[in-house]
Amino acid sequence: MPPMEPKEAPGKETMGTRKKSMPFPRPRLYMLERRKTDPVVESSVPGDYSGTLTRSQSHRTEYNQKLQEKVTSQAGCSTAETLNQEKEHQRMMAKRSKIIKELIQTEKDYLNDLDLCIREVVQPLRNKQIDQLGVDSLFSNIESVHQISAKLLSLLEEATTDVEPAMQVIGKVFLQIKGPLEDIYKIYCYHHDEAHSVLESYEKEEELKQHLSLCIQSLK
């Protein structure tokens, strides 16, 4: 009789088959543990790592590019802002120059009116020596007003003639003449209401009214 082959233990074959069918566990490599946001590009030559480029290096290059663009943009904005400031400064200086010119022209016109009034009204009435007509009560210290106005105009022209617009300073002129201006105009303003009342009373007198009308016609 052929020798009986020893029987295998139950379940042995099943266990062997199970072992063969079990997948081989993959090693936990460092490269597999990398974040997906940090990929590695390998060189085609084995053992050559000169071509390896990580995400951090890529980010650094991209950051440098954006930084350069930002610096360039800021430089452009700074240049535009400087140009705007220069334009605004030029506009303000032009406005300032215009105001100074208008101020001087207004003073010239005012002085011219005073001169006409004294020459065509005050002096002729004084020369007529009309007893009922008080020239001083009607015109107060108008000659002093004329003199201080002429002085003010002279100082303004001196401060602006042949002087660059940016260097023209007229505030000092008013501070310089402040005292005399106050003294003279205090008197003139104090007598203004009285002079107005006197003028109304003269207009009721036909003779005096006629003299005043002739002076007004000469002004026209």
Side-chain angles (χ1 to χ4, degrees):
M1 289 181 68
M4 294 181 65
E5 294 181 0
K7 293 183 179 181
E8 295 181 358
K12 187 175 181 180
E13 182 179 359
T14 304
M15 291 178 63
T17 305
R18 185 179 300 171
K19 287 182 180 180
K20 292 180 181 180
S21 62
M22 289 180 63
F24 186 79
R26 299 176 66 185
R28 297 183 63 184
L29 298 178
Y30 172 73
M31 295 301 298
L32 296 179
E33 292 179 354
R34 285 181 176 273
R35 295 182 306 167
K36 291 183 179 181
T37 57
D38 195 16
V40 176
V41 180
E42 298 292 346
S43 172
S44 59
V45 181
D48 183 9
Y49 298 96
S50 61
T52 301
L53 178 64
T54 64
R55 174 70 66 177
S56 60
Q57 291 173 326
S58 177
H59 281 175
R60 190 179 300 111
T61 302
E62 183 179 358
Y63 172 78
N64 290 335
Q65 291 176 349
K66 290 183 177 181
L67 181 61
Q68 183 63 33
E69 292 174 358
K70 184 176 182 181
V71 171
T72 304
S73 176
Q74 289 179 346
C77 292
S78 177
T79 302
E81 184 178 356
T82 301
L83 291 175
N84 290 335
Q85 290 177 352
E86 290 179 355
K87 289 181 179 179
E88 180 65 17
H89 177 70
Q90 292 175 356
R91 187 184 69 82
M92 292 298 294
M93 290 305 299
K95 183 178 180 180
R96 180 178 184 272
S97 179
K98 182 179 179 180
I99 292 173
I100 292 176
K101 289 180 179 179
E102 288 181 353
L103 176 64
I104 294 176
Q105 186 60 48
T106 300
E107 197 62 31
K108 285 181 179 180
D109 295 339
Y110 177 61
L111 184 62
N112 184 59
D113 291 342
L114 289 173
D115 185 68
L116 285 172
C117 184
I118 293 173
R119 188 175 68 248
E120 301 296 336
V121 179
V122 178
Q123 291 297 343
L125 290 176
R126 279 182 177 160
N127 294 335
K128 290 181 179 181
Q129 297 181 351
I130 304 171
D131 295 336
Q132 301 92 332
L133 187 73
V135 178
D136 293 336
S137 60
L138 187 59
F139 295 99
S140 186
N141 62 335
I142 192 171
E143 284 93 346
S144 298
V145 173
H146 179 274
Q147 291 174 1
I148 196 65
S149 296
K151 179 64 175 178
L152 174 60
L153 177 60
S154 175
L155 292 174
L156 288 172
E157 289 177 336
E158 182 180 346
T160 56
T161 302
D162 297 331
V163 180
E164 292 294 328
M167 302 302 294
Q168 294 177 358
V169 180
I170 62 173
K172 292 182 178 180
V173 172
F174 288 94
L175 293 175
Q176 179 182 348
I177 204 171
K178 174 178 176 289
L181 277 173
E182 288 182 350
D183 294 339
I184 290 173
Y185 274 95
K186 278 180 182 178
I187 298 173
Y188 184 82
C189 293
Y190 179 79
H191 292 288
H192 181 269
D193 292 342
E194 180 184 353
H196 185 70
S197 299
V198 170
L199 180 60
E200 289 181 344
S201 65
Y202 288 168
E203 289 179 345
K204 295 177 183 179
E205 298 289 337
E206 189 62 33
E207 183 180 355
L208 297 179
K209 182 179 179 180
Q210 188 174 8
H211 286 296
L212 292 173
S213 298
L214 291 174
C215 295
I216 293 174
Q217 289 296 326
S218 66
L219 286 175
K220 292 181 179 179

